[in-house]
Amino acid sequence: MHSSALTEAFPITFLFCVLILVSGFCSHIAKAADIDAKARYVDAGIEALAQGDYVAAANLLQQAAQHIPMPYDGNTAYEDSSTLTNLGTALGEINQNNLAIMTYKRSIDVQPSADAYFFLGLTLFDEGRRRESADAYAAAADLDPLHWEAFSNLGSVLHDMRDLPSATVALSSAIALLEDRTTEPTNAPYDPAPILSQLHYILGTCLVASPDADSKTCTVDSRSLPCSQLAKHSFSRSLDYDASNTMSSHMLASLTADATVTRASNEYVEALFDSYADSFEHSLTVDLKYTGYSLLRAFVDERLTPRMYEVVLDAGCGTGLVGEQFRNISGTLIGVDLSQAIINEAKARRPGLYDRTVAGDVVEILAGMPAQLDLLIAADSFIYFGDLDPLFSAISTALSSSSYAAFTLEGVDAVEGATLNAANPEWRWTLTPSGRFAHRKEYVVEALERRGMRIEAYQPMAGFRYENGKAVVGHLFIAS
């Protein structure tokens, strides 16, 4: 048939309509295939995620994400948002945090969800973006008021940021959700007791850190009482849930002026700095404006003849703030700390700073190093000892006749000193509400002399750190 005949038999308008129908049908087929492909990638990706194969999960879920339109105009928002949230989780597990953050935000753009905001908060916190992390946790809690983990993490971040009133509210909400089980909280833990013990501990530290905690009123669960009284209750509740919580038992002792406590337990100090390791330095130097480490080096330079020290031990080395100050006058620099986690942080922040590191009890380590040290340095680490005799005995063993120990201690201000002197003019140390010990200068001198040591130099410190906006006072000592 000729083309003219075709045109007559099948008018152009008819052919055009046929083409449109075929095109629409093909488009429908393509969309269906696209949906099927996305579903297969999602199912396989979730399976890989459940099995812990995060690389495969990320690859599969990225394939699925390619079928999710941008900007979003789909009609399966819940499913697509969940896919992107799972992809963010997989990316975070393979240390692709920046991509994970972008993916969580894309999930929220598709459809806001408490899970997406919660995991966004986790990842932002890992990246050190605490303010943004807190905002994400708050958004998760707003979307799901039963999300106890969102409240818990929000409280912890705000505590680290020293926003103590807001932290108190968030932590109290998390505790209420876990303690009042009339309504099942989201992702309820199988055994809430250890979690509640830790939440009550953090809440207690928020309350005790309030300025003038003995006189100031705080409100928790509609109860308005002196902050210190509520803090005691929180630490007691913590121990009700877990009697082995050494951090709470130590803090409770500090609030009840328990004279039987002569030293913070190793378990308390280790647990404190293990939990604190990644944010320790920022909190100390930025939030608390701590400068004791640099003041100690300046004091040594001012009072001792400049020289190299063959073997130097940094007692309670933390992240290496003090060791870094003394590296250029140290032959061999040894870092000692109870917390392996904070030693690891020191290695990550300051690679190669220490020639050797040891995780353990500094008293035991020093006692096993007879006359091996030329210089011992310790900034803000002997504050966890009340009775200094065992420590000074170990130091005197480790030093040779030409060696020195340079260290800091906390003291008390004039008002607290007058109160302590009135109660006992021979007071030696006091366990403060911060959980740290403050020492009387005269006691330190006597304790050193009992161990055959003497003071080479002394200087009071004021404002080397701040607690709740108040300058903390302390001591600088050099002994031999």
mmCIF file of all heavy atoms in Angstrom, residues 21-60:
data_model
loop_
_atom_site.group_PDB
_atom_site.id
_atom_site.type_symbol
_atom_site.label_atom_id
_atom_site.label_comp_id
_atom_site.label_asym_id
_atom_site.label_seq_id
_atom_site.Cartn_x
_atom_site.Cartn_y
_atom_site.Cartn_z
ATOM 1 N N LEU A 21 -0.868 6.914 23.393
ATOM 2 C CA LEU A 21 -1.239 5.780 24.231
ATOM 3 C C LEU A 21 -0.069 4.857 24.493
ATOM 4 O O LEU A 21 0.148 4.394 25.612
ATOM 5 C CB LEU A 21 -2.388 5.002 23.572
ATOM 6 C CG LEU A 21 -3.755 5.682 23.576
ATOM 7 C CD1 LEU A 21 -4.726 4.909 22.699
ATOM 8 C CD2 LEU A 21 -4.282 5.782 24.992
ATOM 9 N N VAL A 22 0.698 4.593 23.417
ATOM 10 C CA VAL A 22 1.878 3.729 23.565
ATOM 11 C C VAL A 22 2.884 4.369 24.493
ATOM 12 O O VAL A 22 3.467 3.730 25.377
ATOM 13 C CB VAL A 22 2.502 3.429 22.182
ATOM 14 C CG1 VAL A 22 3.836 2.722 22.357
ATOM 15 C CG2 VAL A 22 1.560 2.578 21.362
ATOM 16 N N SER A 23 3.091 5.699 24.328
ATOM 17 C CA SER A 23 4.043 6.406 25.178
ATOM 18 C C SER A 23 3.621 6.350 26.632
ATOM 19 O O SER A 23 4.429 6.091 27.523
ATOM 20 C CB SER A 23 4.156 7.860 24.714
ATOM 21 O OG SER A 23 4.963 8.595 25.593
ATOM 22 N N GLY A 24 2.354 6.571 26.907
ATOM 23 C CA GLY A 24 1.860 6.525 28.278
ATOM 24 C C GLY A 24 2.003 5.145 28.876
ATOM 25 O O GLY A 24 2.377 4.986 30.031
ATOM 26 N N PHE A 25 1.691 4.156 28.053
ATOM 27 C CA PHE A 25 1.823 2.772 28.528
ATOM 28 C C PHE A 25 3.271 2.451 28.861
ATOM 29 O O PHE A 25 3.585 1.870 29.901
ATOM 30 C CB PHE A 25 1.284 1.818 27.460
ATOM 31 C CG PHE A 25 1.404 0.363 27.843
ATOM 32 C CD1 PHE A 25 0.573 -0.181 28.822
ATOM 33 C CD2 PHE A 25 2.352 -0.451 27.238
ATOM 34 C CE1 PHE A 25 0.687 -1.517 29.176
ATOM 35 C CE2 PHE A 25 2.467 -1.777 27.600
ATOM 36 C CZ PHE A 25 1.627 -2.318 28.571
ATOM 37 N N CYS A 26 4.190 2.896 27.971
ATOM 38 C CA CYS A 26 5.626 2.636 28.200
ATOM 39 C C CYS A 26 6.114 3.350 29.445
ATOM 40 O O CYS A 26 6.915 2.820 30.219
ATOM 41 C CB CYS A 26 6.432 3.090 26.981
ATOM 42 S SG CYS A 26 6.185 2.035 25.534
ATOM 43 N N SER A 27 5.612 4.601 29.622
ATOM 44 C CA SER A 27 5.998 5.344 30.820
ATOM 45 C C SER A 27 5.528 4.621 32.070
ATOM 46 O O SER A 27 6.244 4.530 33.070
ATOM 47 C CB SER A 27 5.410 6.755 30.762
ATOM 48 O OG SER A 27 5.673 7.453 31.956
ATOM 49 N N HIS A 28 4.318 4.095 32.036
ATOM 50 C CA HIS A 28 3.786 3.349 33.172
ATOM 51 C C HIS A 28 4.634 2.111 33.445
ATOM 52 O O HIS A 28 4.954 1.802 34.595
ATOM 53 C CB HIS A 28 2.339 2.955 32.886
ATOM 54 C CG HIS A 28 1.732 2.109 33.961
ATOM 55 N ND1 HIS A 28 1.328 2.629 35.173
ATOM 56 C CD2 HIS A 28 1.485 0.763 34.014
ATOM 57 C CE1 HIS A 28 0.853 1.664 35.933
ATOM 58 N NE2 HIS A 28 0.937 0.521 35.253
ATOM 59 N N ILE A 29 5.019 1.416 32.371
ATOM 60 C CA ILE A 29 5.872 0.228 32.513
ATOM 61 C C ILE A 29 7.213 0.602 33.136
ATOM 62 O O ILE A 29 7.734 -0.074 34.037
ATOM 63 C CB ILE A 29 6.098 -0.451 31.150
ATOM 64 C CG1 ILE A 29 4.770 -1.021 30.608
ATOM 65 C CG2 ILE A 29 7.140 -1.544 31.250
ATOM 66 C CD1 ILE A 29 4.192 -2.130 31.447
ATOM 67 N N ALA A 30 7.786 1.743 32.669
ATOM 68 C CA ALA A 30 9.088 2.182 33.189
ATOM 69 C C ALA A 30 9.005 2.511 34.673
ATOM 70 O O ALA A 30 9.889 2.160 35.465
ATOM 71 C CB ALA A 30 9.582 3.386 32.390
ATOM 72 N N LYS A 31 7.918 3.210 35.064
ATOM 73 C CA LYS A 31 7.762 3.557 36.475
ATOM 74 C C LYS A 31 7.611 2.306 37.336
ATOM 75 O O LYS A 31 8.158 2.207 38.422
ATOM 76 C CB LYS A 31 6.551 4.475 36.651
ATOM 77 C CG LYS A 31 6.792 5.897 36.172
ATOM 78 C CD LYS A 31 5.575 6.773 36.426
ATOM 79 C CE LYS A 31 5.835 8.202 35.971
ATOM 80 N NZ LYS A 31 4.657 9.075 36.173
ATOM 81 N N ALA A 32 6.858 1.351 36.824
ATOM 82 C CA ALA A 32 6.672 0.099 37.569
ATOM 83 C C ALA A 32 7.995 -0.625 37.745
ATOM 84 O O ALA A 32 8.304 -1.146 38.822
ATOM 85 C CB ALA A 32 5.664 -0.787 36.849
ATOM 86 N N ALA A 33 8.782 -0.640 36.658
ATOM 87 C CA ALA A 33 10.097 -1.286 36.735
ATOM 88 C C ALA A 33 10.995 -0.549 37.715
ATOM 89 O O ALA A 33 11.771 -1.162 38.468
ATOM 90 C CB ALA A 33 10.743 -1.321 35.342
ATOM 91 N N ASP A 34 10.884 0.790 37.716
ATOM 92 C CA ASP A 34 11.686 1.605 38.621
ATOM 93 C C ASP A 34 11.333 1.291 40.069
ATOM 94 O O ASP A 34 12.205 1.144 40.930
ATOM 95 C CB ASP A 34 11.437 3.078 38.306
ATOM 96 C CG ASP A 34 12.390 4.001 39.031
ATOM 97 O OD1 ASP A 34 13.600 3.891 38.784
ATOM 98 O OD2 ASP A 34 11.920 4.823 39.833
ATOM 99 N N ILE A 35 10.036 1.178 40.341
ATOM 100 C CA ILE A 35 9.578 0.865 41.695
ATOM 101 C C ILE A 35 10.056 -0.526 42.112
ATOM 102 O O ILE A 35 10.517 -0.733 43.236
ATOM 103 C CB ILE A 35 8.044 0.968 41.773
ATOM 104 C CG1 ILE A 35 7.607 2.427 41.621
ATOM 105 C CG2 ILE A 35 7.521 0.379 43.079
ATOM 106 C CD1 ILE A 35 6.111 2.602 41.432
ATOM 107 N N ASP A 36 9.958 -1.496 41.178
ATOM 108 C CA ASP A 36 10.409 -2.855 41.482
ATOM 109 C C ASP A 36 11.901 -2.878 41.780
ATOM 110 O O ASP A 36 12.361 -3.546 42.720
ATOM 111 C CB ASP A 36 10.098 -3.796 40.318
ATOM 112 C CG ASP A 36 8.611 -4.091 40.201
ATOM 113 O OD1 ASP A 36 7.893 -3.835 41.191
ATOM 114 O OD2 ASP A 36 8.183 -4.566 39.141
ATOM 115 N N ALA A 37 12.700 -2.138 40.999
ATOM 116 C CA ALA A 37 14.148 -2.103 41.203
ATOM 117 C C ALA A 37 14.471 -1.491 42.560
ATOM 118 O O ALA A 37 15.309 -2.004 43.314
ATOM 119 C CB ALA A 37 14.822 -1.304 40.084
ATOM 120 N N LYS A 38 13.792 -0.395 42.891
ATOM 121 C CA LYS A 38 14.024 0.261 44.176
ATOM 122 C C LYS A 38 13.695 -0.697 45.325
ATOM 123 O O LYS A 38 14.457 -0.810 46.290
ATOM 124 C CB LYS A 38 13.173 1.533 44.284
ATOM 125 C CG LYS A 38 13.386 2.301 45.578
ATOM 126 C CD LYS A 38 12.645 3.625 45.586
ATOM 127 C CE LYS A 38 11.145 3.435 45.623
ATOM 128 N NZ LYS A 38 10.437 4.725 45.790
ATOM 129 N N ALA A 39 12.565 -1.397 45.212
ATOM 130 C CA ALA A 39 12.152 -2.329 46.264
ATOM 131 C C ALA A 39 13.180 -3.437 46.452
ATOM 132 O O ALA A 39 13.488 -3.833 47.586
ATOM 133 C CB ALA A 39 10.785 -2.911 45.937
ATOM 134 N N ARG A 40 13.729 -3.948 45.342
ATOM 135 C CA ARG A 40 14.735 -5.015 45.444
ATOM 136 C C ARG A 40 15.989 -4.498 46.148
ATOM 137 O O ARG A 40 16.562 -5.184 46.999
ATOM 138 C CB ARG A 40 15.079 -5.544 44.046
ATOM 139 C CG ARG A 40 13.981 -6.394 43.397
ATOM 140 C CD ARG A 40 14.523 -7.186 42.213
ATOM 141 N NE ARG A 40 15.060 -6.303 41.176
ATOM 142 C CZ ARG A 40 14.349 -5.773 40.191
ATOM 143 N NH1 ARG A 40 13.046 -6.024 40.126
ATOM 144 N NH2 ARG A 40 14.912 -4.990 39.291
ATOM 145 N N TYR A 41 16.430 -3.302 45.777
ATOM 146 C CA TYR A 41 17.625 -2.730 46.418
ATOM 147 C C TYR A 41 17.378 -2.464 47.905
ATOM 148 O O TYR A 41 18.256 -2.707 48.741
ATOM 149 C CB TYR A 41 18.021 -1.421 45.721
ATOM 150 C CG TYR A 41 18.683 -1.610 44.380
ATOM 151 C CD1 TYR A 41 18.203 -0.938 43.248
ATOM 152 C CD2 TYR A 41 19.789 -2.445 44.233
ATOM 153 C CE1 TYR A 41 18.809 -1.095 42.013
ATOM 154 C CE2 TYR A 41 20.408 -2.606 43.007
ATOM 155 C CZ TYR A 41 19.917 -1.930 41.897
ATOM 156 O OH TYR A 41 20.526 -2.090 40.681
ATOM 157 N N VAL A 42 16.172 -1.978 48.231
ATOM 158 C CA VAL A 42 15.852 -1.698 49.630
ATOM 159 C C VAL A 42 15.866 -2.983 50.447
ATOM 160 O O VAL A 42 16.487 -3.059 51.513
ATOM 161 C CB VAL A 42 14.484 -0.995 49.757
ATOM 162 C CG1 VAL A 42 14.017 -0.979 51.214
ATOM 163 C CG2 VAL A 42 14.559 0.425 49.225
ATOM 164 N N ASP A 43 15.191 -4.028 49.953
ATOM 165 C CA ASP A 43 15.128 -5.294 50.685
ATOM 166 C C ASP A 43 16.522 -5.880 50.894
ATOM 167 O O ASP A 43 16.865 -6.327 52.000
ATOM 168 C CB ASP A 43 14.250 -6.295 49.936
ATOM 169 C CG ASP A 43 12.769 -5.913 49.949
ATOM 170 O OD1 ASP A 43 12.396 -5.064 50.784
ATOM 171 O OD2 ASP A 43 12.006 -6.443 49.124
ATOM 172 N N ALA A 44 17.321 -5.874 49.839
ATOM 173 C CA ALA A 44 18.675 -6.436 49.946
ATOM 174 C C ALA A 44 19.541 -5.572 50.865
ATOM 175 O O ALA A 44 20.359 -6.096 51.638
ATOM 176 C CB ALA A 44 19.307 -6.532 48.557
ATOM 177 N N GLY A 45 19.366 -4.244 50.798
ATOM 178 C CA GLY A 45 20.151 -3.349 51.647
ATOM 179 C C GLY A 45 19.838 -3.511 53.114
ATOM 180 O O GLY A 45 20.738 -3.530 53.959
ATOM 181 N N ILE A 46 18.550 -3.651 53.436
ATOM 182 C CA ILE A 46 18.157 -3.838 54.835
ATOM 183 C C ILE A 46 18.664 -5.175 55.354
ATOM 184 O O ILE A 46 19.105 -5.284 56.506
ATOM 185 C CB ILE A 46 16.621 -3.721 54.970
ATOM 186 C CG1 ILE A 46 16.193 -2.268 54.723
ATOM 187 C CG2 ILE A 46 16.160 -4.189 56.337
ATOM 188 C CD1 ILE A 46 14.702 -2.064 54.688
ATOM 189 N N GLU A 47 18.625 -6.197 54.512
ATOM 190 C CA GLU A 47 19.155 -7.508 54.912
ATOM 191 C C GLU A 47 20.650 -7.412 55.213
ATOM 192 O O GLU A 47 21.138 -7.956 56.221
ATOM 193 C CB GLU A 47 18.900 -8.521 53.796
ATOM 194 C CG GLU A 47 19.447 -9.924 54.081
ATOM 195 C CD GLU A 47 18.748 -10.616 55.240
ATOM 196 O OE1 GLU A 47 17.604 -10.239 55.574
ATOM 197 O OE2 GLU A 47 19.360 -11.541 55.821
ATOM 198 N N ALA A 48 21.392 -6.716 54.349
ATOM 199 C CA ALA A 48 22.831 -6.545 54.572
ATOM 200 C C ALA A 48 23.093 -5.745 55.840
ATOM 201 O O ALA A 48 24.023 -6.044 56.602
ATOM 202 C CB ALA A 48 23.467 -5.847 53.367
ATOM 203 N N LEU A 49 22.264 -4.736 56.091
ATOM 204 C CA LEU A 49 22.411 -3.921 57.294
ATOM 205 C C LEU A 49 22.192 -4.766 58.540
ATOM 206 O O LEU A 49 22.943 -4.668 59.520
ATOM 207 C CB LEU A 49 21.406 -2.764 57.244
ATOM 208 C CG LEU A 49 21.594 -1.592 58.204
ATOM 209 C CD1 LEU A 49 22.917 -0.886 57.971
ATOM 210 C CD2 LEU A 49 20.442 -0.592 58.055
ATOM 211 N N ALA A 50 21.172 -5.623 58.498
ATOM 212 C CA ALA A 50 20.873 -6.491 59.643
ATOM 213 C C ALA A 50 22.000 -7.470 59.915
ATOM 214 O O ALA A 50 22.252 -7.845 61.064
ATOM 215 C CB ALA A 50 19.564 -7.240 59.392
ATOM 216 N N GLN A 51 22.714 -7.874 58.856
ATOM 217 C CA GLN A 51 23.810 -8.837 59.003
ATOM 218 C C GLN A 51 25.135 -8.163 59.337
ATOM 219 O O GLN A 51 26.153 -8.832 59.521
ATOM 220 C CB GLN A 51 23.951 -9.648 57.724
ATOM 221 C CG GLN A 51 22.765 -10.580 57.454
ATOM 222 C CD GLN A 51 22.902 -11.338 56.151
ATOM 223 O OE1 GLN A 51 23.853 -11.146 55.397
ATOM 224 N NE2 GLN A 51 21.943 -12.217 55.877
ATOM 225 N N GLY A 52 25.136 -6.841 59.387
ATOM 226 C CA GLY A 52 26.359 -6.116 59.718
ATOM 227 C C GLY A 52 27.305 -5.915 58.553
ATOM 228 O O GLY A 52 28.457 -5.512 58.751
ATOM 229 N N ASP A 53 26.848 -6.169 57.337
ATOM 230 C CA ASP A 53 27.669 -5.937 56.145
ATOM 231 C C ASP A 53 27.373 -4.517 55.660
ATOM 232 O O ASP A 53 26.595 -4.300 54.734
ATOM 233 C CB ASP A 53 27.338 -6.963 55.059
ATOM 234 C CG ASP A 53 28.305 -6.901 53.874
ATOM 235 O OD1 ASP A 53 29.112 -5.935 53.820
ATOM 236 O OD2 ASP A 53 28.257 -7.798 53.018
ATOM 237 N N TYR A 54 28.022 -3.546 56.308
ATOM 238 C CA TYR A 54 27.652 -2.141 56.100
ATOM 239 C C TYR A 54 28.092 -1.608 54.744
ATOM 240 O O TYR A 54 27.424 -0.738 54.181
ATOM 241 C CB TYR A 54 28.233 -1.293 57.229
ATOM 242 C CG TYR A 54 27.749 -1.737 58.590
ATOM 243 C CD1 TYR A 54 28.640 -2.235 59.545
ATOM 244 C CD2 TYR A 54 26.399 -1.687 58.912
ATOM 245 C CE1 TYR A 54 28.197 -2.657 60.785
ATOM 246 C CE2 TYR A 54 25.937 -2.109 60.155
ATOM 247 C CZ TYR A 54 26.844 -2.596 61.085
ATOM 248 O OH TYR A 54 26.399 -3.025 62.308
ATOM 249 N N VAL A 55 29.174 -2.129 54.209
ATOM 250 C CA VAL A 55 29.613 -1.689 52.878
ATOM 251 C C VAL A 55 28.582 -2.091 51.835
ATOM 252 O O VAL A 55 28.153 -1.285 50.998
ATOM 253 C CB VAL A 55 31.001 -2.273 52.542
ATOM 254 C CG1 VAL A 55 31.373 -1.967 51.088
ATOM 255 C CG2 VAL A 55 32.061 -1.700 53.482
ATOM 256 N N ALA A 56 28.170 -3.368 51.878
ATOM 257 C CA ALA A 56 27.145 -3.837 50.929
ATOM 258 C C ALA A 56 25.834 -3.093 51.131
ATOM 259 O O ALA A 56 25.167 -2.705 50.161
ATOM 260 C CB ALA A 56 26.931 -5.343 51.093
ATOM 261 N N ALA A 57 25.467 -2.871 52.400
ATOM 262 C CA ALA A 57 24.219 -2.163 52.689
ATOM 263 C C ALA A 57 24.257 -0.755 52.101
ATOM 264 O O ALA A 57 23.276 -0.304 51.489
ATOM 265 C CB ALA A 57 23.989 -2.103 54.194
ATOM 266 N N ALA A 58 25.379 -0.074 52.279
ATOM 267 C CA ALA A 58 25.499 1.291 51.746
ATOM 268 C C ALA A 58 25.385 1.292 50.227
ATOM 269 O O ALA A 58 24.680 2.133 49.639
ATOM 270 C CB ALA A 58 26.820 1.910 52.191
ATOM 271 N N ASN A 59 26.051 0.341 49.573
ATOM 272 C CA ASN A 59 26.005 0.278 48.104
ATOM 273 C C ASN A 59 24.593 0.001 47.598
ATOM 274 O O ASN A 59 24.107 0.641 46.651
ATOM 275 C CB ASN A 59 26.970 -0.792 47.593
ATOM 276 C CG ASN A 59 28.415 -0.396 47.773
ATOM 277 O OD1 ASN A 59 28.741 0.803 47.810
ATOM 278 N ND2 ASN A 59 29.305 -1.373 47.894
ATOM 279 N N LEU A 60 23.918 -0.956 48.237
ATOM 280 C CA LEU A 60 22.570 -1.321 47.794
ATOM 281 C C LEU A 60 21.569 -0.193 48.051
ATOM 282 O O LEU A 60 20.734 0.130 47.190
ATOM 283 C CB LEU A 60 22.124 -2.591 48.513
ATOM 284 C CG LEU A 60 22.848 -3.880 48.077
ATOM 285 C CD1 LEU A 60 22.674 -4.978 49.120
ATOM 286 C CD2 LEU A 60 22.333 -4.339 46.710
#
